[in-house]
Amino acid sequence: MPVAGEDGLTINILTADGATVSSFHSPTLGGGAPTWTPDGKEVIYFDKSARAYIRVDIINPARRQVAAPCLGEP
């Protein structure tokens, strides 16, 4: 569940009952993101400053990696 803030978004990961599992910051929303990885263990979001889609581990949101090659120069 993305929640807008002054410096971007907070992405909250919820259970089906609405309990918060974890959350992380995202500077922007991107086309088709945030979205789940097929195994349901990570969320992919678009980081405008990095110009890339980033994978976030929902158990340990500090663990992030690039999900796809960076986009070209603007």
Side-chain angles (χ1 to χ4, degrees):
M1 175 178 73
V3 178
E6 287 186 30
D7 64 341
L9 305 162
T10 297
I11 307 296
N12 294 304
I13 308 300
L14 308 174
T15 66
D17 295 329
T20 300
V21 173
S22 66
S23 65
F24 62 91
H25 179 264
S26 171
T28 55
L29 284 175
T35 191
W36 289 97
T37 56
D39 63 7
K41 295 180 179 180
E42 297 175 305
V43 171
I44 298 175
Y45 73 94
F46 183 70
D47 185 332
K48 185 177 179 180
S49 63
R51 299 184 51 75
Y53 284 89
I54 306 295
R55 298 169 69 110
V56 178
D57 183 316
I58 63 167
I59 301 302
N60 181 5
R63 192 166 68 204
R64 300 175 186 209
Q65 62 184 8
V66 174
C70 294
L71 302 176
E73 294 297 317

